Amino acid sequence: MEGLFEHVGHFGRFQAYAYFTSAFQAISCGIHYLASVFIAVTPNYVCRPPGNVSLVLLHNNTFSQINEVWDIWTSPKDYLAVQQENGDIWELRRCSRFKREGSFAPTYTYDGNKTLFACSDGYQYDHSHLESSIVTDWDLVCDHEWLAKLAQPTFMLGVLIGAVVFGDIADRVGRRPIMWITSSCQFIFGLAVAFTFNYYSFVITRFILAMVSSGYLVVVFVYVTEYVGIKFRTWASIHIHTFFAVGVMVVALVGYLVRTWWIYQIILSVITLPFVMCCWMLPETPFWLHSQQKCKEVERVIATMEKWNKVSTQFKLSQLFPVEEGREPSGTDAQPAKNHNLFDLFHNWTFARRTISVWLIWFTGSFGYYVFALNSVNLGGNEYFNLFLAGAVEIPSYIVCCFCMDKLGRRNTLAPFLLLSTVICIVIMVIPEDYNTITIVMSMAGKFSVGTAFGLIYLYTAELYPTLIRSLAVGSGSMICRVGSVVAPFCVYLTDVWIFMPQTLGIKQGRTVTGRSSHSLTSQTSR
């Protein structure tokens, strides 16, 4: 296999073109994965009164309009006492409103009789920091609050399904067709999300968007792995995640500049367009073509690589891809090899143990990654800056990851960083709540450590399995890790129960996997 790169170069002009062209689209994957952080944000709100308001009371403060109270609104348990133009006085809470009986004195506290009414006139939202979100447009609060919280887990469920489906299909029909289809669909469905007319159409469209985004991310990783020689493969494959992190940073930047969710979604989706316009120029990988015994196409791809990389010496195909015993070489295309399925990852005890260990690490890495990323907007301070930091801190983590893998190996890098993320979770739990800056710093350190481990496992998995089932292995691992990403949003919501619940769950998962990973995985590659 590596004879091809010794001939055409490990990272020549052709590989650089294929790498940066295909990796660019990973930015849009990072965008769509984290876009709901601001699409589904819930601002402060109260029940809307039945008529025009002339006076508003919040504790000892008096206002003329409800929109003026949000700057001093501090707790969801607060309520507003409002007097209408006809003299009626109402108490407005988040999910209910009370009409005071027999009282026309505008006071905040009242011990007399009150009549409970539902929020039939809708809700009054705080638009001072946000023009609109799916929550404000479709009133996803109170009894419908769970629908807003379900948006991100539903997206991650689509990611889970897309990872295994498109990973398997890519092993059957090739990497290039799947990259074409998934990248084009990212653009189409990314725009379609902005024009959905209700919550259910929004969730369905985002679910399909999740499937194609996940499919692209899985296949592009395998694609670049099969085009870059071993001397540069570690850096090239790990830094696919850097493009994903840039996508997270773009989400924070666009979210800060655009406060209307559907305009925000359109702008984020347009970033996909440059790749869609040129993705048709990318060729299929010679290793997948060879695995399907398509020798003439392999020769054409190698000839293109030789031309781009200015390699003049001609090698025979048999020298670059030695013919396996029992297989007769042929200049014509032979019948494709047999299709593979998930059971091939367990065809013997060694592969089964390896697959189970890898899946555990995929789950834990994803769980920790999304807990730190999604919870970054809840750390205090500026939520846009916090999310930007959460993306930016990944870039040096991948650089450190590459150096450590070269010096220490895959396994000896993976286990310590998983253990470090566990230690950081413990430290965060003992930091007082009002120490926001220290909490943010430690959370970014946790994101750094778990990002290092999470980025490594993609390459590690690709190296542990042969070409015929490589996409399937990475796709199945990504499927398992999405179980972690489906669970992660719910763990972030558990901060309402206990602020340190996400860190507690992260500690338990980290202990489980670090105890296994250092002994279960072999550092030998299998190609």
Side-chain angles (χ1 to χ4, degrees):
M1 174 178 177
E2 295 302 329
L4 172 62
F5 300 114
E6 295 297 333
H7 170 52
V8 301
H10 288 260
F11 197 76
R13 291 173 59 200
F14 180 86
Q15 288 105 316
Y17 160 75
Y19 176 80
F20 287 106
T21 301
S22 57
F24 177 85
Q25 184 71 346
I27 295 176
S28 65
C29 297
I31 286 171
H32 295 308
Y33 277 43
L34 273 299
S36 68
V37 170
F38 299 124
I39 286 179
V41 66
T42 302
N44 290 321
Y45 65 94
V46 293
C47 268
R48 190 186 300 275
N52 294 328
V53 173
S54 59
L55 182 67
V56 180
L57 300 175
L58 176 60
H59 301 300
N60 296 324
N61 301 282
T62 303
F63 306 92
S64 59
Q65 297 293 330
I66 293 178
N67 290 334
E68 299 173 0
V69 308
W70 301 122
D71 288 338
I72 62 171
W73 181 279
T74 58
S75 172
K77 297 180 181 180
D78 287 341
Y79 66 91
L80 303 181
V82 301
Q83 185 175 40
Q84 295 185 253
E85 291 179 348
N86 63 2
D88 291 343
I89 298 179
W90 291 76
E91 290 183 10
L92 306 179
R93 301 179 186 271
R94 280 200 159 189
C95 299
S96 61
R97 55 185 181 172
F98 295 86
K99 182 181 179 182
R100 294 180 180 177
E101 302 295 342
S103 173
F104 296 94
T107 59
Y108 188 71
T109 58
Y110 176 73
D111 296 328
N113 295 327
K114 296 181 287 188
T115 303
L116 174 64
F117 290 86
C119 298
S120 55
D121 293 297
Y123 302 88
Q124 186 88 19
Y125 294 100
D126 176 10
H127 293 290
S128 59
H129 303 290
L130 179 74
E131 289 296 325
S132 73
S133 69
I134 64 169
V135 173
T136 63
D137 282 3
W138 301 322
D139 287 337
L140 303 180
V141 293
C142 298
D143 292 342
H144 297 117
E145 181 181 6
W146 65 276
L147 293 174
K149 292 185 176 181
L150 196 62
Q152 184 66 11
T154 303
F155 181 91
M156 288 303 177
L157 180 62
V159 170
L160 183 156
I161 296 173
V164 70
V165 168
F166 286 106
D168 184 32
I169 296 175
D171 283 330
R172 297 171 186 267
V173 304
R175 289 42 164 146
R176 183 178 66 168
I178 301 305
M179 290 173 64
W180 287 1
I181 293 170
T182 54
S183 60
S184 299
C185 287
Q186 276 197 88
F187 175 69
I188 294 170
F189 287 100
L191 287 179
V193 167
F195 297 98
T196 50
F197 52 88
N198 60 32
Y199 173 80
Y200 297 102
S201 62
F202 170 84
V203 168
I204 292 171
T205 307
R206 285 257 302 168
F207 183 85
I208 300 173
L209 176 62
M211 289 183 62
V212 296
S213 296
S214 173
Y216 184 86
L217 198 60
V218 169
V219 177
V220 73
F221 188 86
V222 175
Y223 185 84
V224 301
T225 300
E226 293 182 350
Y227 258 119
V228 178
I230 195 169
K231 292 181 180 179
F232 294 91
R233 187 172 298 135
T234 297
W235 284 82
S237 57
I238 289 297
H239 283 286
I240 287 288
H241 302 291
T242 299
F243 290 87
F244 187 95
V246 170
V248 176
M249 297 163 66
V250 170
V251 167
L253 180 61
V254 175
Y256 176 76
L257 297 174
V258 181
R259 305 299 176 90
T260 302
W261 77 268
W262 59 271
I263 298 176
Y264 158 89
Q265 179 67 29
I266 291 174
I267 293 173
L268 292 178
S269 299
V270 168
I271 295 174
T272 307
L273 187 59
F275 177 80
V276 174
M277 298 174 66
C278 64
C279 66
W280 60 272
M281 299 174 63
L282 294 173
E284 185 56 80
T285 68
F287 301 107
W288 183 86
L289 293 171
H290 183 258
S291 72
Q292 303 297 305
Q293 303 178 35
K294 297 183 178 182
C295 301
K296 287 186 177 180
E297 295 184 36
V298 174
E299 291 173 349
R300 284 196 291 268
V301 173
I302 293 176
T304 302
M305 295 175 71
E306 290 173 339
K307 181 178 179 180
W308 278 63
N309 294 350
K310 298 182 179 180
V311 176
S312 57
T313 304
Q314 298 296 320
F315 276 48
K316 294 181 179 180
L317 185 61
S318 59
Q319 292 176 283
L320 299 177
F321 297 93
V323 179
E324 296 178 7
E325 185 178 354
R327 177 187 293 178
E328 295 185 6
S330 173
T332 61
D333 292 348
Q335 291 295 320
K338 81 176 189 74
N339 291 324
H340 295 269
N341 56 51
L342 201 62
F343 293 105
D344 290 304
L345 301 178
F346 298 87
H347 78 275
N348 60 40
W349 171 245
T350 300
F351 264 62
R353 184 179 62 178
R354 181 181 302 174
T355 299
I356 293 172
S357 298
V358 165
W359 282 2
L360 281 171
I361 298 169
W362 275 94
F363 176 85
T364 301
S366 176
F367 179 85
Y369 180 94
Y370 285 102
V371 164
F372 279 113
L374 296 173
N375 199 46
S376 64
V377 297
N378 300 322
L379 297 176
N382 189 298
E383 62 268 28
Y384 302 99
F385 182 66
N386 290 346
L387 184 62
F388 185 89
L389 279 181
V393 77
E394 288 186 54
I395 298 176
S397 77
Y398 300 136
I399 296 174
V400 170
C401 178
C402 292
F403 278 115
C404 290
M405 283 194 298
D406 288 340
K407 300 297 183 180
L408 304 176
R410 275 60 165 152
R411 183 178 61 181
N412 294 335
T413 301
L414 181 63
F417 275 102
L418 283 175
L419 183 61
L420 178 61
S421 64
T422 301
V423 173
I424 290 173
C425 286
I426 297 173
V427 172
I428 291 175
M429 292 177 64
V430 301
I431 299 175
E433 288 186 39
D434 54 342
Y435 284 58
N436 287 339
T437 302
I438 298 177
T439 302
I440 291 172
V441 170
M442 293 307 300
S443 294
M444 295 305 121
K447 184 68 160 33
F448 178 96
S449 59
V450 79
T452 301
F454 192 35
L456 186 155
I457 194 58
Y458 275 83
L459 175 62
Y460 204 178
T461 303
E463 290 181 338
L464 286 171
Y465 294 90
T467 301
L468 289 174
I469 58 172
R470 184 173 296 124
S471 282
L472 178 62
V474 175
S476 67
S478 185
M479 178 191 72
I480 295 299
C481 93
R482 298 315 161 197
V483 176
S485 61
V486 169
V487 174
F490 292 110
C491 293
V492 173
Y493 301 147
L494 288 176
T495 54
D496 294 337
V497 179
W498 185 37
I499 192 170
F500 296 124
M501 185 65 76
Q503 287 79 13
T504 303
L505 295 174
I507 290 169
K508 292 180 180 179
Q509 292 297 330
R511 284 176 177 171
T512 300
V513 175
T514 52
R516 295 190 181 191
S517 62
S518 59
H519 300 290
S520 298
L521 290 176
T522 174
S523 59
Q524 299 296 320
T525 60
S526 175
R527 298 189 184 276

